[in-house]
């Protein structure tokens, strides 16, 4: 049974003229019939996750890389069946996604199919929980909240968000306990889920 709870939710869509970030270098290019080369440099992070998913979202390959020097790695997909694959490169709460089409003869990789997904940021202060996320392209965003028993107490979807997506939740309408906030981002065939566990104690908030 779905529990309906009304939250004080504030939605703001802002357009950013610029995004302040270091000039990171990221490229994927075809190298041979069924191979591609991934290049990464000038990324300030200790660890990078590289993962390849098939069209059903099942991971077929994953590795962790260290950014102690520029990365240039070649990946061979000749043993994988034909179809659509998504390469995820994850670092510093940023996910780069590249769609790869594999046919019998070749790989098709287009920079137009490359996406950047930013992990949402949660900030809790007193009885409020703020969520902010930057959408560089039009993305469908879904938010759901589950209590500790797995019951859905909040569910919302918003289509074609572009810019800054922000929401505020009033936790004072909830009983004390542990809650799971899940944000699902979808753009075309690519979907990415983020989760955040929030501990809410009304008595402490009122002090």
């Amino acid at each position: 049974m779905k529990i309906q709870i009304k939250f004080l939710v504030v939605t703001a869509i802002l357009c950013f003229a610029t995004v302040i970030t270091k000039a990171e270098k990221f490229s994927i290019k075809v190298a041979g019939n069924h191979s591609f080369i991934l290049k990464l440099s000038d990324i300030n992070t200790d660890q990078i996750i590289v993962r390849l998913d098939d069209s059903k979202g099942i991971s077929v390959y994953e590795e962790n890389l260290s950014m102690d020097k520029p990365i240039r790695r070649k990946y061979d997909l000749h043993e994988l069946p034909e179809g659509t694959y998504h390469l995820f490169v994850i670092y510093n709460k940023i996910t780069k996604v590249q769609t790869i089409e594999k046919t019998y003869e070749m790989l098709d990789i287009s920079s137009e199919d490359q996406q950047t997904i930013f992990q949402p940021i949660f900030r809790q202060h007193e009885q409020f929980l703020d969520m902010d996320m930057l959408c560089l392209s039009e993305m469908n965003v879904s938010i759901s909240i589950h209590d500790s028993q797995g019951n859905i107490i909040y569910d919302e979807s918003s289509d074609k968000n572009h810019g800054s997506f922000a929401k505020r939740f009033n936790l004072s309408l909830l009983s004390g306990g542990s809650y799971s906030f899940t944000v699902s981002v979808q753009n075309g065939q690519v979907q990415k889920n983020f989760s955040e566990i929030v501990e809410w104690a009304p008595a402490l908030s009122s002090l």
Side-chain angles (χ1 to χ4, degrees):
M1 176 178 172
K2 186 173 179 179
I3 304 174
Q4 298 290 339
I5 294 182
K6 292 184 179 179
F7 283 88
L8 172 62
V9 179
V10 178
T11 304
I13 302 298
L14 303 175
C15 294
F16 281 80
T18 59
V19 178
I20 302 175
T21 182
K22 187 177 179 179
E24 301 167 344
K25 296 178 182 178
F26 172 92
S27 69
I28 301 172
K29 294 184 178 180
V30 175
N33 292 344
H34 292 138
S35 301
F36 67 88
I37 292 177
L38 170 66
K39 293 182 180 179
L40 298 168
S41 62
D42 298 329
I43 298 177
N44 185 21
T45 185
D46 295 328
Q47 187 180 56
I48 297 174
I49 299 174
V50 177
R51 191 181 79 239
L52 186 67
D53 290 1
D54 63 15
S55 59
K56 297 180 181 178
I58 299 174
S59 179
V60 297
Y61 180 81
E62 183 172 334
E63 68 173 334
N64 294 330
L65 304 176
S66 60
M67 196 68 217
D68 51 353
K69 61 181 179 179
I71 294 173
R72 185 184 186 278
R73 293 183 66 84
K74 185 175 182 180
Y75 297 89
D76 190 344
L77 309 187
H78 78 277
E79 294 186 355
L80 295 177
E82 298 176 39
T84 302
Y85 295 87
H86 301 293
L87 180 72
F88 294 84
V89 180
I90 306 168
Y91 59 90
N92 291 344
K93 297 185 178 181
I94 298 173
T95 301
K96 297 281 189 179
V97 187
Q98 175 67 61
T99 299
I100 301 174
E101 298 287 346
K102 182 187 178 186
T103 65
Y104 176 75
E105 297 180 343
M106 60 180 290
L107 292 182
D108 183 12
I109 299 177
S110 172
S111 59
E112 295 180 357
D113 295 327
Q114 191 179 114
Q115 304 176 42
T116 301
I117 301 175
F118 288 85
Q119 180 176 330
I121 297 174
F122 292 88
R123 298 183 180 89
Q124 185 175 352
H125 51 95
E126 296 184 349
Q127 76 269 31
F128 296 109
L129 179 72
D130 291 332
M131 187 211 78
D132 298 284
M133 183 173 62
L134 182 62
C135 301
L136 295 184
S137 58
E138 288 190 349
M139 295 183 179
N140 299 332
V141 180
S142 299
I143 303 174
S144 62
I145 305 174
H146 295 73
D147 62 17
S148 57
Q149 283 74 45
N151 299 311
I152 299 177
I153 61 173
Y154 181 82
D155 191 10
E156 179 190 3
S157 296
S158 180
D159 298 336
K160 297 183 178 180
N161 297 282
H162 190 190
S164 178
F165 183 80
K167 285 193 175 291
R168 166 169 284 189
F169 300 92
N170 188 349
L171 302 178
S172 66
L173 300 176
L174 295 172
S175 302
S178 177
Y179 296 89
S180 175
F181 286 69
T182 301
V183 180
S184 178
V185 181
Q186 184 169 8
N187 189 350
Q189 299 180 5
V190 177
Q191 180 170 322
K192 178 72 175 176
N193 296 325
F194 302 95
S195 295
E196 180 83 5
I197 301 299
V198 174
E199 300 292 340
W200 167 238
L204 294 178
S205 177
S206 61
L207 293 178

